[in-house]
Amino acid sequence: MSLHSVGVRADVLEGLAAELHARIPMTKFLGVHFVEFEPGRIVLAAPLGPSLNHRGTAFGPGVFTAAGLAPWLLLVRAAWAERLAVQILLRRCEFAIHRPITCDYRARCDVLPALEADTLRQGGKVRLTATSQVFIDEGAPAATYTAHFTLLAGAGEGDLALPFPEGWRT
């Protein structure tokens, strides 16, 4: 799918990737880049090469990183769009590889629960769960990652300081 068909300019995604790589250097090493980044959907891609293990498949921690970034980044964008000053904490997660990953892969998160913005604006905390899947083809997911987050109100820009376009605000 082309970047124009999903409404995000390539230079915006490249700028976000550059900032992500600066803030989380492992993402640069792994070659993680944005394919899609819409309000309710994100697709990240990564080449097999940097994650290659001795068996010719993707090393689990590299896949884990891309899979974990997908829901976190979607949540960061949603909080930023709502002008919520929050800190996003990963309480726990589950990760499973269902089949060998033998080529470049994509991590996708399509669903993000509501942020309970009013609770956060009143200084509360919110817990939510989001799942991403890793694909190597059009078949079943090759891996699944489920994150259980806690959002704490009043934490300044913190996690939200990525260079999102002002037009993404609600």
Side-chain angles (χ1 to χ4, degrees):
M1 180 177 291
S2 76
L3 296 175
H4 295 325
S5 69
V6 294
V8 179
R9 294 186 348 234
D11 62 324
V12 170
L13 295 180
E14 289 167 6
L16 286 169
E19 187 66 24
L20 180 65
H21 295 163
R23 291 172 182 268
I24 306 174
M26 181 187 302
T27 62
K28 181 176 183 178
F29 174 79
L30 292 172
V32 174
H33 59 279
F34 294 89
V35 176
E36 294 180 40
F37 199 7
E38 296 298 315
R41 176 182 168 91
I42 186 170
V43 179
L44 299 171
L48 176 63
S51 293
L52 199 60
N53 66 22
H54 65 290
R55 295 188 177 190
T57 62
F59 186 54
V63 179
F64 175 89
T65 299
L69 282 168
W72 178 76
L73 283 165
L74 198 57
L75 184 54
V76 167
R77 177 181 175 162
W80 184 87
E82 289 287 335
R83 301 175 190 273
L84 296 171
V86 298
Q87 182 178 11
I88 302 168
L89 304 172
L90 178 64
R91 282 185 298 124
R92 66 184 169 86
C93 63
E94 296 92 37
F95 177 66
I97 296 179
H98 311 299
R99 59 190 171 121
I101 298 173
T102 58
C103 60
D104 297 354
Y105 51 93
R106 298 171 323 282
R108 185 179 83 205
C109 183
D110 294 319
V111 178
L112 190 64
L115 291 182
E116 299 180 39
D118 290 340
T119 299
L120 292 166
R121 284 190 180 98
Q122 295 170 9
K125 83 176 170 183
V126 170
R127 290 187 171 176
L128 60 83
T129 299
T131 298
S132 65
Q133 297 176 316
V134 175
F135 293 91
I136 57 175
D137 53 31
E138 299 306 317
T144 304
Y145 174 94
T146 300
H148 304 275
F149 294 107
T150 299
L151 282 67
L152 302 175
E157 283 290 304
D159 293 337
L160 313 180
L162 289 171
F164 296 122
E166 192 59 34
W168 288 10
R169 295 268 196 194
T170 56

